[in-house]
Amino acid sequence: MARCIHCKTNLSWFYIFKRLMIVKRLDMECSHCGQKLYFTSRSKKILMGMTVLIPVLFVLAFILDYMALFMVWVIGYLLVMPWFVTVTDNDEPLF
Ligand SMILES: [Zn+2]
């Protein structure tokens, strides 16, 4: 789980989820101390990879008629995503 590098507070699952799904920005403020945090380049790669994978899997699921499996996979992905991201205090380049 991501943890603020300034005050070492664990960022809540819901907070990260909200940032990823609703705000769609790659920076955020610590909910505890208000300092700016950025997702690490590794986290960004995971996020981008998943964003690219979802449409591909959607097409595959559509062709193979596995829509239920696709839905389960997407929901599962959305639920575990906040556990995979880590944050840093400077905006790292993606590559
Ligand atoms: Zn903090």
Side-chain angles (χ1 to χ4, degrees), residues 33-91:
C33 67
Q35 293 275 6
K36 258 208 160 15
L37 300 167
Y38 299 92
F39 293 112
T40 58
S41 59
R42 181 181 151 273
S43 308
K44 287 184 207 168
K45 278 178 200 155
I46 295 172
L47 291 169
M48 276 189 56
M50 291 298 201
T51 313
V52 169
L53 262 177
I54 286 178
V56 172
L57 283 171
F58 176 81
V59 172
L60 271 179
F62 190 76
I63 295 167
L64 302 172
D65 205 15
Y66 281 137
M67 281 322 268
L69 191 70
F70 172 76
M71 291 310 291
V72 169
W73 190 84
V74 169
I75 293 164
Y77 154 68
L78 296 177
L79 293 178
V80 300
M81 209 57 235
W83 277 289
F84 283 100
V85 298
T86 45
V87 293
T88 176
D89 65 340
N90 60 334
D91 197 4

Side-chain angles (χ1 to χ4, degrees), residues 4-9 30-35 37:
C4 172
I5 42 116
H6 302 284
C7 65
K8 311 285 178 232
T9 304
C30 170
S31 53
H32 182 73
C33 67
Q35 293 275 6
L37 300 167

